[in-house]
Amino acid sequence: MTPTKLIRVAAMLVLLGLLVQLVCTFFWTPGAFVIFASLGLGLILAGAALFFFAVWRVLRQTKAL
Amino acid sequence: MPTVIVVLIAATAVLVVFLAVGAEALAQHTAGRLVLLGGLVILPVAVAGTGVTTGAVRSSNAEFCLDCHEMEPWGKSLFVDNPRSLVAMHYQKRLIGRDQVCFSCHTNYAMFGTIQAKLNGLRHVYYHYIGGVPETIELAQAYPNSICLHCHEDGRAYLEQGAHDSVRAELTENKTSCLSCHDIAHDMAGVKAGNFWSPP
């Protein structure tokens, strides 16, 4: 996958996480909070990890690391 | 959730869409790459983290406890007209904070006690949605004196009450329960009978 594509996938994960959280805020119950914190935050952190992976790969390919 | 946080989440989501579209161009130069880092990682993590923290703090509110219909009778027990009921008395005399009325008596004040209480709560959320709620609801462990003593240990009324003198050491060591004498916590019979206090 090209770096741009990886970053776009990372952005989609982050977006998905934010949308999950947004939906949860409209049905705020104890269960919604658990999903907000687990699935929502989890997707966002997964996106962030993928973003850093893409950056790391570019740096390695350009011999900057 | 406070409106500010909802708006921030929505705005961040819109920003993420724009950054994803412009990722190719932005990745060409250093400033653009920093914008990607800020908009795709730092901002979303900060906003979502704030949301989770706010939600965790608010889960100490009685409103949150009473969200589950299973807790309704215990919520009603705050209003029973019975001065001997510890719960009704503390609540109606405003001896403990109104917002966190359940949490004040149902958390563990030891180190990491709040985290432990939240993890227990997580298990209750599981029972509510998936595991099934038991027929009779009771505490998982006997109610520890340490919670009462967190507020009362060095309080004048508790210390000066002669009835405690003979058992004070046992109370501190949790060998005799406060509830062995102060024996009505939630007056559930009063709830059933509909015996509620109403303001004059």
Side-chain angles (χ1 to χ4, degrees):
Chain A
M1 242 194 265
T2 64
T4 314
K5 205 148 175 216
L6 268 183
I7 286 175
R8 286 205 170 119
V9 174
M12 284 308 120
L13 285 174
V14 171
L15 182 65
L16 209 59
L18 288 167
L19 290 180
V20 165
Q21 291 200 330
L22 203 57
V23 171
C24 286
T25 62
F26 286 104
F27 307 91
W28 200 244
T29 59
F33 172 58
V34 172
I35 294 173
F36 183 96
S38 57
L39 187 61
L41 190 61
L43 282 167
I44 292 167
L45 292 178
L50 191 61
F51 180 90
F52 286 123
F53 172 71
V55 172
W56 172 79
R57 229 176 49 171
V58 170
L59 290 178
R60 213 185 42 166
Q61 274 165 7
T62 57
K63 303 261 185 271
L65 270 185
Chain B
M1 253 314 110
T3 317
V4 206
I5 295 181
V6 178
V7 171
L8 272 175
I9 294 174
T12 309
V14 173
L15 178 71
V16 166
V17 172
F18 279 112
L19 292 181
V21 172
E24 182 101 57
L26 285 167
Q28 302 304 320
H29 45 88
T30 311
R33 290 193 279 261
L34 285 177
V35 169
L36 282 177
L37 176 68
L40 291 184
V41 176
I42 298 174
L43 186 64
V45 170
V47 169
T50 309
V52 171
T53 319
T54 309
V57 169
R58 296 204 165 192
S59 71
S60 300
N61 288 358
E63 228 172 78
F64 185 94
C65 310
L66 301 177
D67 239 320
C68 293
H69 62 91
E70 291 91 341
M71 282 301 105
E72 199 183 302
W74 283 270
K76 284 185 179 163
S77 76
L78 296 171
F79 304 101
V80 170
D81 187 13
N82 179 358
R84 284 197 53 218
S85 157
L86 290 171
V87 176
M89 177 271 291
H90 280 90
Y91 177 74
Q92 290 167 16
K93 289 189 182 173
R94 294 284 179 267
L95 301 180
I96 56 185
R98 195 180 346 201
D99 291 342
Q100 305 200 341
V101 56
C102 310
F103 189 69
S104 307
C105 283
H106 289 288
T107 183
N108 178 344
Y109 288 99
M111 200 174 14
F112 304 122
T114 303
I115 295 176
Q116 203 186 329
K118 297 298 171 201
L119 288 178
N120 280 340
L122 199 58
R123 219 173 51 222
H124 298 164
V125 172
Y126 169 79
Y127 293 148
H128 174 80
Y129 290 101
I130 301 162
V133 177
E135 281 283 310
T136 49
I137 297 181
E138 48 190 29
L139 300 182
Q141 287 120 15
Y143 193 90
N145 289 355
S146 57
I147 299 176
C148 311
L149 290 173
H150 173 76
C151 291
H152 285 292
E153 193 165 34
D154 52 357
R156 182 163 182 172
Y158 170 70
L159 290 174
E160 284 186 348
Q161 176 53 245
H164 299 143
D165 289 347
S166 59
V167 286
R168 195 162 321 264
E170 289 164 35
L171 289 175
T172 308
E173 289 163 24
N174 202 34
K175 284 194 182 126
T176 299
S177 170
C178 303
L179 302 176
S180 60
C181 297
H182 301 278
D183 55 355
I184 306 177
H186 295 270
D187 182 356
M188 303 313 284
V191 172
K192 249 199 198 122
N195 173 29
F196 297 111
W197 176 72
S198 54

